[in-house]
Amino acid sequence: MGSGVLKRGELVVPGDKVAVIEEFEPKYGFYEDLGVVRASIVGYPIFDMDKRIVYIEKTLSKNSIPRPGDDVYCIAYEVSDKIAFAHIIKVIGRPKVFQPPFTGVIHISRLKKAKVNSIREIVKLGDHLYASIISRRNNVYHLTISGPEFGVILARCPYCGLLLEKKDQNLVCSKCNIVEQRKISKYYGNFKIV
Ligand SMILES: [Zn+2]
């Protein structure tokens, strides 16, 4: 049995509501929150009208792999003092997301200007990042987040999970009244550029 009728929706950003659970079951890139189906990453939703599922449009094409010089949207999945690992979800300006994602690393030596002792001070697990590819070695992409456009573009409150809001050079949770430090991109919260 192949795919049924597919409908492509408008660009979604994390937290956007696309359906209720009675209409579509969330697959890759979506989750259920109190009966509502919301996006967890940036991308274009594909609604499978027969299977009643929704997922982010993905690319399996080897022709569209990221290259040094590309700016990418990624999500940190492991952060230690000296190195952070991120899943590269897509190249900025190209619609499709990589499934499975590529692996990117950020090394602390690339963050001299940030003057930090540990990457954990400026990037945390689950942060969404706008980064640039410096090089590719052994199938791993080396990334930088130096420069005003690069850095964290979405982070969640560690206590309640709400999206943090940018206030001056900090991120704050309006519910818990906490302040979090990050290397913030000037595009924080602006997913239309992704
Ligand atoms: Zn909170």
Side-chain angles (χ1 to χ4, degrees):
M1 199 175 112
S3 296
V5 177
L6 304 179
K7 281 191 182 168
R8 185 173 189 252
E10 297 285 310
L11 181 76
V12 292
V13 304
D16 276 359
K17 173 187 173 177
V18 295
V20 292
I21 194 70
E22 290 80 7
E23 298 171 319
F24 290 95
E25 187 187 339
K27 296 292 185 185
Y28 181 73
F30 290 92
Y31 64 99
E32 184 198 345
D33 175 29
L34 303 173
V36 173
V37 178
R38 295 184 187 279
S40 58
I41 60 174
V42 173
Y44 287 88
I46 300 295
F47 298 91
D48 186 317
M49 309 307 283
D50 291 342
K51 294 181 187 162
R52 311 309 297 181
I53 57 174
V54 59
Y55 53 89
I56 292 285
E57 186 177 38
K58 43 199 175 184
T59 180
L60 306 168
S61 166
K62 285 288 167 201
N63 297 326
S64 57
I65 65 165
R67 293 192 168 76
D70 284 344
D71 294 341
V72 290
Y73 165 62
C74 43
I75 300 177
Y77 69 89
E78 196 178 319
V79 183
S80 65
D81 288 333
K82 300 252 179 287
I83 198 163
F85 290 90
H87 286 136
I88 299 173
I89 306 293
K90 67 194 288 291
V91 172
I92 303 293
R94 288 191 217 148
K96 293 182 180 181
V97 304
F98 301 120
Q99 174 67 339
F102 291 90
T103 299
V105 300
I106 301 167
H107 196 266
I108 195 164
S109 63
R110 302 270 184 202
L111 298 168
K112 280 174 199 142
K113 280 187 187 158
K115 295 197 176 85
V116 289
N117 296 314
S118 164
I119 293 183
R120 288 181 226 254
E121 293 171 31
I122 54 167
V123 174
K124 295 197 175 157
L125 189 68
D127 284 356
H128 294 212
L129 304 164
Y130 185 107
S132 186
I133 297 174
I134 302 164
S135 62
R136 181 186 181 202
R137 265 173 270 151
N138 305 323
N139 257 344
V140 170
Y141 291 90
H142 292 258
L143 307 174
T144 178
I145 54 169
S146 288
E149 59 267 63
F150 302 110
V152 175
I153 57 168
L154 177 154
R156 289 181 184 277
C157 174
Y159 303 103
C160 74
L162 269 186
L163 300 184
L164 297 172
E165 292 164 35
K166 187 178 168 189
K167 280 214 176 120
D168 302 320
Q169 283 313 302
N170 296 315
L171 298 178
V172 299
C173 176
S174 51
K175 193 174 161 195
C176 307
N177 267 323
I178 57 136
V179 177
E180 289 270 310
Q181 306 288 330
R182 295 290 197 282
K183 162 60 170 91
I184 306 170
S185 161
K186 72 175 185 181
Y187 298 122
Y188 187 89
N190 174 13
F191 291 100
K192 299 298 176 192
I193 55 100
V194 169

